[in-house]
Amino acid sequence: MEEMTLHYDFFTLFKSPWFWSPFLGWSTAQFIKLCIDFAHTKRIDFSYFVSTGGMPSAHSAMVSALATSIGMTEGFGSPIFALAISFAAVTMFDAAGVRYAASQQARLLNQITEELFTKHTFNVPRLKEMLGHTRKEVLAGMVTGITVAVIVIKLWAHFLR
């Protein structure tokens, strides 16, 4: 087993591809959402940088970028890659499963509330419906994250030479 060197400087985090790959994967996915919305509405809505749901999945992009950058630098057979890929799988399963089901339930509750409101006095705030993702959105997020991570790792290796 190799001797491990401990780094106590917090700012070394910002020099690593394991920070920049997931951060830029998430940012890229959120920017793509903003662009897709702009194409439909012709207005810029910066709330997409902090929103959930939509195409592509930023959660999937982030965890895929993290796992890819770890695999490319530490080896795809390393224990830390196994941990990262497991984390990514659970996150993406949750985005397409549990959170998507919660979105469907919120949509149905909003419809029920709207129907009750038009017939009776019923003052209830609307629930956020964009919580989860379709499998297609998760897959697009995964591809986004892997692509961003490959670019970051290639640039990181280039600038360290």
Side-chain angles (χ1 to χ4, degrees):
M1 189 178 271
E2 294 180 31
E3 184 178 322
M4 190 166 84
T5 305
L6 296 177
H7 296 279
Y8 296 103
D9 180 7
F10 172 77
F11 295 102
T12 59
L13 170 68
F14 301 108
K15 298 176 185 176
S16 77
W18 314 291
F19 170 80
W20 289 108
S21 291
F23 176 76
L24 292 173
W26 175 84
S27 300
T28 300
Q30 295 296 71
F31 182 73
I32 291 169
K33 288 181 200 181
L34 183 141
C35 291
I36 290 171
D37 183 65
F38 178 77
H40 289 109
T41 64
K42 302 295 185 234
R43 65 180 185 83
I44 296 177
D45 183 358
F46 289 107
S47 71
Y48 276 94
F49 281 111
V50 292
S51 68
T52 60
M55 171 69 92
S57 165
H59 290 87
S60 298
M62 185 176 85
V63 295
S64 296
L66 176 62
T68 301
S69 64
I70 288 172
M72 289 180 74
T73 57
E74 304 302 305
F76 290 99
S78 68
I80 192 71
F81 175 71
L83 177 66
I85 202 74
S86 298
F87 173 65
V90 167
T91 301
M92 290 187 290
F93 178 79
D94 180 66
V98 177
R99 288 177 57 231
Y100 184 71
S103 295
Q104 297 299 90
Q105 291 172 359
R107 190 170 291 122
L108 180 61
L109 285 171
N110 284 335
Q111 182 182 347
I112 291 168
T113 302
E114 192 171 311
E115 289 174 9
L116 284 172
F117 184 70
T118 57
K119 296 178 183 175
H120 304 328
T121 303
F122 192 70
N123 191 12
V124 177
R126 290 189 60 82
L127 300 172
K128 182 168 173 36
E129 294 179 6
M130 291 297 294
L131 300 171
H133 297 281
T134 64
R135 288 185 178 123
K136 185 174 157 183
E137 292 168 343
V138 169
L139 179 64
M142 184 179 77
V143 170
T144 301
I146 291 170
T147 303
V148 168
V150 168
I151 293 167
V152 167
I153 294 300
K154 296 292 183 187
L155 290 173
W156 183 67
H158 176 72
F159 287 112
L160 281 181
R161 290 182 191 168

